[in-house]
Amino acid sequence: MANPAIELKGITKAFGHIIANENVDLTVFRGEILAILGENGSGKTTLMNMISGIYYPDEGHIFIDGKEVNISSPKDALDLKIGMIHQHFKLVDVFNATENIVLGLDEGKYDIKASAKKIQETCDRYGFEIDVNKKIYEMSVSEKQTVEIVKALYKGADILILDEPTAVLTPQETQKLFNVLRKMREDGKSIIIITHKLHEVLEISDRVSVLRKGKYIGTINTAEANESILTEMMVGEKISLDIERSEPKDTTDRLIVKGVDLYNKEGVQVLKDISFTAKSGEILGIAGISGSGQRELLESIAGLQKISGGEILYNNPKTNETENLKDKTPMQIRNLGVRLSFVPEDRLGMGLVGNMDIIDNMMLRSYRKGKSVFVERKQPKALAEKIIEDLQVVTPDAKTPVRRLSGGNVQKVLVGREIAASPTVLMAAYPVRGLDINSSYMIYNLLNEQKENGVAVIFVGEDLDVLIELCDRILVVCGGRVTGIVNGREAKKEELGLLMTKGNAKGGKSDE
Amino acid sequence: MSNEKVKEPFMHITKRADISRGKSWLIRIASILVALVFCAVIIVLLTGENPLSVYVTMFKGAVGTTRRIWSLLQNVAMLLCVSLAVTPAFRMKFWNIGAEGQVLIGGLATTACMILLGNKLPTPVLMIVIFVSSIIAGAIWALIPAIFKAIWNTNETLFTLMMNYIAMQIVSYFAYVWSVPKGSGAIGVINPNTQAGWFPSVLNQKYLLNIVIVAVLTVIVYIYLKYSKHGYEIAVVGESENTAKYIGINVKKVIIRTMLVSGALCGIAGVLLVSGTDHTLTKDTAAGRGFTAIIVSWLAKFNPIYMVLTSLLIVFLQKGAVEISSKFELNDSFSDIITGIIIFFIIGSEFFINYKLNFNKKGENK
């Protein structure tokens, strides 16, 4: 036990002016499962990428079995028996499992049948259930992940790194994965698992190392840890989520979604008979495992997806008329006088233009104003300066391209612009993802302010504690279906967790 | 890996956080100097000539006499005009490499007007007809791939490239139909006696009108891209189609409209080349400018004002290179080698502006 398999000393890595890892130390022993815990953007993946040869550290040393090594390519990592299972699988879709596993290996002559047999043996040893002749594109996410793990083992990995392996799995699949990981531990392998889910850390790991904002905070034995200790390490000072929540006033039905169905480009149904009502003056939360249809739902309302069934009705408070937004483009929706603001999940890829400065990003909503063929930059400039001041955006000036800002400041610019359009409906998808505590609170306060101004706020979140503290009602989606709507003041985390996985148990994505 | 001492890589590459404008220009200028030194080595190795005298010849070849300066400016204007044409599409990340064909089709329309209407219409009317028809012709040639891209998402690079070959063949065909003498396959100088449809000399300079027109176009394109609502939409579509859809821009409309603008500008280039310069048409009239324009536009980061400098640089190199190959009796390809090396270094310098090399100091203590 006492042999460190990997030791990192003083690892630092910067991307431009963003420091992803700063002076990080880490030790992993043989025959243990080490969890790397940290919030989004805390540098977990970057650190692991340096062990697996994707990035090269700016400073610091890596020791394998006590010897200093230099890992400058994934090939070097492989030679040192290090294997990484990335969050986004690196498999060739049109190849089958065996072909993917032997890809890039030099085993002398190419004998796919012999390889398949050897792979099957590896699988049997650890209890993997895969069909070695199945094509990748026919596989479910969990099967693909299994192929990735077998690939790493087959290539002789003794040190396995898994990047957020459970993010895409159902609870049952997660259990299966954990059983396999335990078997590998018994076999003397070192396993590093990256996650930000506390209960998984407590369940599977032997020790936990915590990163916060790129810095190494510390390592503790899991047996001595509990959720509150880990949370404190992860976010810094012990925080009690204490978000103000006023009673909704003068609620009226603002947005009525009725039986919405949506198919994606591949013809898979991603929204199934979704119905709910968003009321003015309240915050409606949407909870669910990521990829349960939240993004598609908001995009459908915003006119970016063509729904195949159902309707989306908007009650205009000015005219008291009801408009059906189905089959309307974002432009047509705006021309109807619908004041819909949308903070999308993909901030720089959809909400903003990364290479444009703050002023030009302000113009996205307003540039059409007026009959002139030329754009008018005075008002957007004033707005940009106001947002920079009001929301304390950290930026050299309003002419800085938004991609140069940090995640939290990018989000302030985006939310600021969307609120400035004085909406009647405000949709925000994961608005605090990757933000520090202070910025997160600023966003919560802005949402609350909008609610008090009579806006119907729709908040898609991932942190259940926040949803419970912030929202008046919480809609839970699972596998594209609504599995429940609960009162935010009475909701329990366990209850939400159950609802979030309900649809999966009933008819998962892949069995249909 | 088993030895005690680990070998560190000699260096590694990191992205630069920020770089001041002055420093980035310093890198660019340094890259040209390095290129000249590198070329000097090549010159000595391959030809044994004195590199300094080669460079002096190059300089003289480009701007040695008044006539050469005018010729240089004329060529800069032509290249700049085509570069202006491709720029709106490039800003939209629509890789239009069909400017060559669009210019040719514009030139074909000009030629048709000059041959068929040349001695029948009064000069002002003729000039208007030439401009309008050539602009329409160039725009149509650009519109076809744009429509296919907008509706069926075809690959615009292949499509516009193929359109070039079609344009060349059409021009070859008409060169045969209108050839003088019949059957020679070459049109020859059109309306040599009446000079109908020719650009007039201004202030005794036959190319001055071309240069003035391109100068005006440069300012217009600059303003269009930077200050108009269309220009703003082009930038948004180019940066992120998702963002464009999110704020309700009709992406298809923008693609088609922008390619019409690109094609129309190519049409004008066609007029300038046929009416304003050559007074004839061959399938080589565009002379590869449709492709060189891509380099000009990229090097200038799609900024029309910078494009004046980049097109000047490239034409200067071309002119100078031709001069050294004739004066030193070197093979024509040799001048292309020199030009290629210099452009390679200039493009390569962008890497050093965006990235920084970190040399490992530890390697030094043994």
Side-chain angles (χ1 to χ4, degrees):
Chain A
M1 174 82 189
N3 295 331
I6 302 191
E7 238 184 317
L8 304 184
K9 279 187 187 159
I11 298 286
T12 297
K13 176 82 190 170
F15 298 100
H17 65 295
I18 297 161
I19 296 165
N21 285 131
E22 195 182 339
N23 204 10
V24 174
D25 299 326
L26 195 75
T27 310
V28 190
F29 294 104
R30 296 264 168 228
E32 76 159 349
I33 299 178
L34 175 79
I36 309 256
L37 182 68
E39 290 189 293
N40 287 310
S42 57
K44 297 167 293 193
T45 303
T46 306
L47 186 64
M48 291 304 117
N49 276 337
M50 281 186 278
I51 303 178
S52 58
I54 309 261
Y55 296 144
Y56 189 80
D58 295 344
E59 280 167 40
H61 307 271
I62 301 175
F63 300 87
I64 304 272
D65 293 327
K67 274 181 203 136
E68 183 165 6
V69 294
N70 168 38
I71 307 171
S72 52
S73 74
K75 171 95 174 46
D76 288 353
L78 195 62
D79 290 340
L80 295 164
K81 300 184 181 250
I82 298 167
M84 179 153 174
I85 288 92
H86 294 271
Q87 208 169 354
H88 303 284
F89 304 136
K90 314 228 180 280
L91 298 168
V92 181
D93 260 359
V94 293
F95 282 5
N96 67 25
T98 307
E99 288 162 341
N100 265 291
I101 289 167
V102 298
L103 191 67
L105 275 185
D106 188 5
E107 296 186 294
K109 69 174 191 278
Y110 178 71
D111 182 349
I112 199 85
K113 276 195 187 140
S115 306
K117 216 173 135 201
K118 268 166 70 190
I119 291 165
Q120 193 62 53
E121 282 162 18
T122 313
C123 294
D124 295 343
R125 191 157 140 223
Y126 294 103
F128 292 111
E129 295 162 15
I130 56 162
D131 176 356
V132 292
N133 295 316
K134 200 170 176 182
K135 302 270 192 213
I136 300 301
Y137 63 82
E138 294 173 329
M139 292 187 171
S140 70
V141 179
S142 140
E143 282 177 295
K144 286 181 196 172
Q145 187 180 60
T146 311
V147 173
E148 283 278 16
I149 298 173
V150 174
K151 184 167 83 177
L153 290 172
Y154 187 79
K155 290 182 175 176
D158 279 338
I159 299 164
L160 264 129
I161 305 164
L162 296 103
D163 190 357
E164 303 259 0
T166 59
V168 291
L169 301 182
T170 63
Q172 290 85 348
E173 289 167 341
T174 303
Q175 281 314 316
K176 236 194 234 171
L177 172 72
F178 284 179
N179 287 336
V180 171
L181 293 182
R182 287 187 190 107
K183 265 193 197 156
M184 294 197 290
R185 171 175 61 188
E186 283 161 27
D187 207 40
K189 310 246 182 232
S190 310
I191 294 159
I192 305 175
I193 171 168
I194 302 179
T195 180
H196 57 245
K197 295 181 186 165
L198 295 175
H199 64 273
E200 289 178 353
V201 172
L202 295 170
E203 185 184 341
I204 185 80
S205 69
D206 299 305
R207 293 187 309 136
V208 200
S209 293
V210 182
L211 293 184
R212 188 201 310 153
K213 290 181 189 162
K215 291 197 183 107
Y216 172 70
I217 300 303
T219 301
I220 53 172
N221 291 324
T222 310
E224 295 152 20
N226 61 38
E227 294 211 1
S228 70
I229 293 176
L230 291 178
T231 313
E232 200 180 323
M233 289 175 78
M234 213 159 86
V235 299
E237 77 272 25
K238 200 167 168 65
I239 49 144
S240 58
L241 278 172
D242 196 14
I243 307 168
E244 264 180 57
R245 173 164 52 190
S246 56
E247 283 298 322
K249 283 185 300 228
D250 310 326
T251 56
T252 53
D253 294 356
R254 179 67 64 231
L255 192 74
I256 302 149
V257 175
K258 272 189 198 164
V260 164
D261 290 319
L262 175 75
Y263 292 84
N264 67 9
K265 272 191 195 140
E266 284 78 42
V268 178
Q269 190 168 8
V270 285
L271 294 181
K272 295 164 196 163
D273 194 22
I274 298 252
S275 297
F276 67 88
T277 302
K279 294 175 184 163
S280 63
E282 69 156 25
I283 298 181
L284 174 72
I286 298 184
I289 297 171
S290 71
S292 299
Q294 299 96 319
R295 182 172 59 82
E296 288 85 354
L297 176 59
L298 296 198
E299 288 184 7
S300 298
I301 296 170
L304 294 166
Q305 299 271 2
K306 208 168 155 45
I307 58 174
S308 60
E311 47 192 10
I312 298 165
L313 302 173
Y314 171 80
N315 287 328
N316 193 330
K318 274 199 186 133
T319 58
N320 280 325
E321 276 170 33
T322 302
E323 311 278 4
N324 192 348
L325 308 186
K326 185 179 187 254
D327 296 332
K328 298 237 162 48
T329 64
M331 201 60 221
Q332 288 168 325
I333 291 174
R334 182 133 19 115
N335 290 341
L336 281 174
V338 178
R339 305 199 76 100
L340 182 75
S341 280
F342 179 23
V343 178
E345 179 180 350
D346 187 359
R347 293 160 204 166
L348 289 176
M350 183 181 257
L352 301 165
V353 178
N355 278 331
M356 286 185 171
D357 62 22
I358 302 177
I359 299 172
D360 276 19
N361 270 295
M362 290 300 138
M363 267 160 52
L364 283 171
R365 279 276 180 232
S366 62
Y367 80 96
R368 286 189 191 86
K369 265 188 217 153
K371 288 216 166 73
S372 162
V373 293
F374 295 109
V375 287
E376 193 272 324
R377 280 188 170 85
K378 258 191 214 142
Q379 277 179 15
K381 183 160 184 268
L383 177 60
E385 277 159 4
K386 185 174 184 304
I387 287 174
I388 291 170
E389 201 187 315
D390 290 356
L391 304 188
Q392 296 151 27
V393 178
V394 180
T395 171
D397 54 33
K399 287 197 173 279
T400 306
V402 289
R403 81 183 142 78
R404 292 237 194 100
L405 307 182
S406 73
N409 289 307
V410 166
Q411 186 68 324
K412 286 178 193 170
V413 169
L414 175 56
V415 173
R417 185 192 72 204
E418 290 302 296
I419 288 175
S422 48
T424 51
V425 178
L426 172 64
M427 305 193 287
Y430 307 109
V432 298
R433 181 180 278 175
L435 268 56
D436 61 33
I437 297 290
N438 283 328
S439 308
S440 299
Y441 269 83
M442 180 172 277
I443 302 289
Y444 301 143
N445 289 337
L446 286 170
L447 294 180
N448 267 325
E449 222 176 272
Q450 292 300 304
K451 161 185 160 180
E452 276 154 30
N453 290 341
V455 176
V457 180
I458 299 176
F459 170 83
V460 177
E462 48 198 342
D463 186 331
L464 294 181
D465 294 313
V466 171
L467 280 159
I468 290 171
E469 291 270 331
L470 179 70
C471 303
D472 299 298
R473 289 183 303 141
I474 301 167
L475 175 89
V476 189
V477 288
C478 178
R481 281 197 186 85
V482 176
T483 48
I485 299 181
V486 293
N487 185 325
R489 287 173 179 75
E490 294 155 9
K492 291 272 171 314
K493 246 168 115 172
E494 294 69 29
E495 181 192 5
L496 291 177
L498 274 177
L499 288 170
M500 279 164 62
T501 49
K502 207 171 161 188
N504 271 332
K506 252 201 255 169
K509 304 157 200 165
S510 53
D511 328 2
E512 281 185 353
Chain B
M1 284 294 156
S2 56
N3 7 344
E4 281 289 300
K5 203 91 192 114
V6 269
K7 237 173 64 192
E8 284 237 12
F10 174 58
M11 52 154 215
H12 68 279
I13 297 158
T14 50
K15 207 162 165 40
R16 276 184 203 274
D18 267 314
I19 183 160
S20 69
R21 203 169 256 212
K23 205 171 169 194
S24 66
W25 278 103
L26 210 66
I27 292 177
R28 288 193 186 102
I29 290 165
S31 77
I32 295 179
L33 293 178
V34 174
L36 290 177
V37 171
F38 188 79
C39 286
V41 173
I42 300 273
I43 289 167
V44 172
L45 284 181
L46 291 184
T47 68
E49 303 286 351
N50 177 0
L52 272 182
S53 69
V54 170
Y55 289 146
V56 169
T57 310
M58 212 169 159
F59 189 79
K60 281 188 182 157
V63 292
T65 64
T66 320
R67 202 180 57 79
R68 280 184 179 161
I69 292 176
W70 278 109
S71 160
L72 177 90
L73 291 178
Q74 151 71 5
N75 276 285
V76 169
M78 289 303 109
L79 182 59
L80 181 57
C81 185
V82 184
S83 309
L84 290 172
V86 296
T87 301
F90 276 12
R91 276 236 181 162
M92 197 175 62
K93 302 230 164 80
F94 183 106
W95 306 119
N96 173 22
I97 58 171
E100 191 87 358
Q102 290 147 24
V103 171
L104 273 182
I105 290 293
L108 181 66
T110 308
T111 309
C113 293
M114 286 167 75
I115 290 177
L116 303 175
L117 307 170
N119 298 317
K120 291 171 193 153
L121 294 175
T123 304
V125 180
L126 178 65
M127 289 322 287
I128 292 172
V129 172
I130 283 176
F131 267 98
V132 170
S133 56
S134 303
I135 286 173
I136 291 174
I140 288 174
W141 215 245
L143 177 68
I144 298 167
I147 287 179
F148 275 79
K149 169 79 177 182
I151 299 178
W152 293 291
N153 196 26
T154 52
N155 181 319
E156 75 274 15
T157 316
L158 283 176
F159 206 125
T160 50
L161 180 67
M162 291 305 160
M163 294 290 285
N164 288 337
Y165 299 114
I166 300 173
M168 283 181 202
Q169 296 312 316
I170 294 176
V171 167
S172 293
Y173 171 77
F174 281 102
Y176 184 78
V177 171
W178 291 326
S179 58
V180 180
K182 269 275 171 252
S184 67
I187 294 175
V189 175
I190 307 163
N191 305 336
N193 302 322
T194 59
Q195 301 201 347
W198 291 30
F199 274 19
S201 291
V202 176
L203 303 175
N204 264 335
Q205 290 298 337
K206 56 180 178 171
Y207 296 140
L208 190 57
L209 188 57
N210 286 345
I211 296 166
V212 170
I213 289 175
V214 175
V216 172
L217 283 178
T218 308
V219 175
I220 291 175
V221 172
Y222 178 75
I223 292 172
Y224 178 75
L225 290 174
K226 187 147 189 208
Y227 297 108
S228 78
K229 288 179 180 172
H230 286 184
Y232 182 72
E233 287 181 339
I234 289 170
V236 175
V237 170
E239 291 289 345
S240 163
E241 223 173 276
N242 269 334
T243 307
K245 285 180 184 152
Y246 159 82
I247 56 160
I249 290 177
N250 184 340
V251 175
K252 288 178 182 165
K253 194 174 115 190
V254 174
I255 289 177
I256 289 173
R257 188 181 67 204
T258 307
M259 274 306 278
L260 280 175
V261 170
S262 260
L265 287 166
C266 281
I268 294 178
V271 178
L272 299 186
L273 282 170
V274 175
S275 266
T277 314
D278 297 344
H279 312 126
T280 185
L281 179 74
T282 72
K283 67 182 175 40
D284 298 321
T285 291
R289 290 191 182 89
F291 300 107
T292 315
I294 298 170
I295 303 174
V296 170
S297 186
W298 265 98
L299 278 179
K301 303 217 164 88
F302 312 128
N303 181 328
I305 303 296
Y306 291 163
M307 272 154 51
V308 177
L309 294 177
T310 52
S311 52
L312 179 69
L313 174 80
I314 287 188
V315 173
F316 178 89
L317 287 175
Q318 282 174 344
K319 290 259 159 195
V322 170
E323 179 71 8
I324 55 170
S325 50
S326 65
K327 181 141 186 205
F328 293 92
E329 293 178 340
L330 298 169
N331 187 313
D332 263 358
S333 313
F334 190 75
S335 50
D336 288 341
I337 294 175
I338 303 286
T339 317
I341 290 171
I342 294 174
I343 292 175
F344 178 84
F345 272 80
I346 294 170
I347 295 172
S349 72
E350 295 299 310
F351 176 84
F352 294 95
I353 289 167
N354 291 321
Y355 295 92
K356 193 166 64 181
L357 299 183
N358 298 287
F359 295 96
N360 288 313
K361 292 168 210 132
K362 268 186 295 174
E364 283 161 15
N365 21 319
K366 274 184 288 188

